[in-house]
Amino acid sequence: MIRAFVQTVLLCGICAVAANAARAEAAWISDQFEANLRSGPSTANAIRRMLRSGSQVEVLERNEDTGYARVRAGDTEGWILTRYLMNEPSAREQLERLTGQLTSANTRGSTLSSQLAAVKEQHDEATTRIAALERDKKVLQEELGDIRETAGNTLAIDRQNKDLRQQLTDAEIKVSILEQENQALAGQTTRNWFLAGAMVLFAGIIMGLWLPRMRWQKRSRYERF
């Protein structure tokens, strides 16, 4: 019996809390500087807390007779005059929120503008750098063309030098051969002159021996007659 009674009481308490939670609604303190949160629905009750304008509370119930409403502000419950409650944030609160949003938007806009300026600056720097690289590329291409042309000329000159060296070598060989032939011809001429002289000398000796004999023979013939 006691256990059943306790369970019934707990069930009723849970249902009451659930009902209060279901009836709870959000509300905001009106444009008063501060509103008194009291322990009961009258000015005779003690003040539990001072609620500033714009504070959000949770309305648990309303008492039309006393003009008070039971609310929860954070972890504190109490009664407050219903005329201090509004269904939406106060104009001051909305203005502050909008001002904050506008300030935040302006800050974000300023940040975005700064970022955009930085990106534009980077883009300009990149464009300038690309233009400089294009100029450098053009200069390098021209230099490469000159180097290739010079290399081609150098190769041609090298080939010409090789041909000239080969021609010089051939000419030196020909000169050597001609010198040998000239020496050989000079020796042959000397020998020819020597032979010719020897033949002349021999002929002179023959003539020297033969002419007196011819004269003697002629004389002998004349003497016979």
Side-chain angles (χ1 to χ4, degrees), residues 204-223:
I205 293 173
I206 296 296
M207 291 294 293
L209 294 175
W210 185 66
L211 286 175
R213 188 175 181 180
M214 288 183 65
R215 290 176 183 175
W216 184 79
Q217 289 179 356
K218 287 182 180 180
R219 190 179 299 151
S220 295
R221 288 176 184 177
Y222 290 147
E223 289 178 353

Side-chain angles (χ1 to χ4, degrees), residues 29 32-40 42-43 45-52 68-69 71 78-81 84:
I29 304 302
Q32 299 290 329
F33 290 106
E34 289 182 341
N36 297 326
L37 182 64
R38 297 180 179 275
S39 60
S42 69
T43 57
N45 297 105
I47 297 175
R48 289 184 174 178
R49 186 176 173 182
M50 304 295 293
L51 300 178
R52 299 183 59 184
Y68 277 82
V71 299
W79 294 83
I80 191 173
L81 289 171
Y84 291 160

Side-chain angles (χ1 to χ4, degrees), residues 19 25 39 93 101 150 225:
E25 57 179 311
S39 60
E93 180 69 18
Q101 293 177 356
T150 303
F225 289 108

Side-chain angles (χ1 to χ4, degrees), residues 56-76:
Q56 184 176 359
V57 296
E58 184 180 1
V59 179
L60 303 177
E61 63 174 296
R62 296 175 184 268
N63 191 328
E64 300 296 339
D65 297 333
T66 61
Y68 277 82
R70 188 167 64 90
V71 299
R72 180 186 295 116
D75 57 353
T76 304

